[in-house]
Amino acid sequence: MDSSNSQEKVEQQLQQMDQEKKEDILASFDSFKSYLAKQVKKGEELGLSEESLAKAAEKVGNYLADHEEPRNREEHLLKELWKAANKDQQHQLAHILINMVK
């Protein structure tokens, strides 16, 4: 699967997600991790590489940092780390998040 195509799908999915579903996902850090784990599993089943998954996770991180307020301490910390990091560090953080939910 083309990496840029999968990134576009991630962006579309984030924009189309209704507010209630976002609230459910972001309500607790455990629900966020669970959602991310499901998305990683789906990506793996579609044959996405670790790198493609990390790029998709970066899209999610950028979206959350730009459009959503943290709902808990863990999300606050992630947002602060994300904003303090440069692009390379954000990419590494995306890899770490993927490893965390596997």
Side-chain angles (χ1 to χ4, degrees), residues 3-98:
S3 173
S4 63
N5 188 26
S6 64
Q7 289 180 32
E8 288 172 18
K9 286 182 181 181
V10 168
E11 188 73 27
Q12 286 175 339
Q13 187 177 24
L14 288 169
Q15 291 174 355
Q16 293 173 354
M17 189 179 294
D18 67 39
Q19 192 60 34
E20 187 175 328
K21 183 166 181 163
K22 284 181 195 175
E23 287 297 327
D24 288 345
I25 292 167
L26 298 173
S28 75
F29 193 60
D30 285 337
S31 58
F32 170 73
K33 288 190 313 183
S34 177
Y35 173 78
L36 186 56
K38 288 176 190 172
Q39 299 310 309
V40 167
K41 185 171 175 61
K42 283 182 190 176
E44 289 175 332
E45 289 170 354
L46 291 171
L48 294 180
S49 67
E50 175 84 19
E51 190 62 25
S52 293
L53 291 170
K55 287 180 181 180
E58 274 185 85
K59 280 279 192 193
V60 172
N62 286 329
Y63 177 85
L64 291 173
D66 292 341
H67 301 289
E68 297 294 331
E69 284 302 313
R71 276 39 166 219
N72 52 61
R73 291 178 300 189
E74 295 88 354
E75 289 172 9
H76 255 291
L77 176 60
L78 277 176
K79 185 172 184 171
E80 291 299 317
L81 289 170
W82 197 262
K83 288 182 158 250
N86 64 34
K87 285 297 251 180
D88 291 334
Q89 292 166 329
Q90 288 173 348
H91 185 73
Q92 290 305 312
L93 185 53
H95 276 282
I96 293 166
L97 287 169
I98 290 169

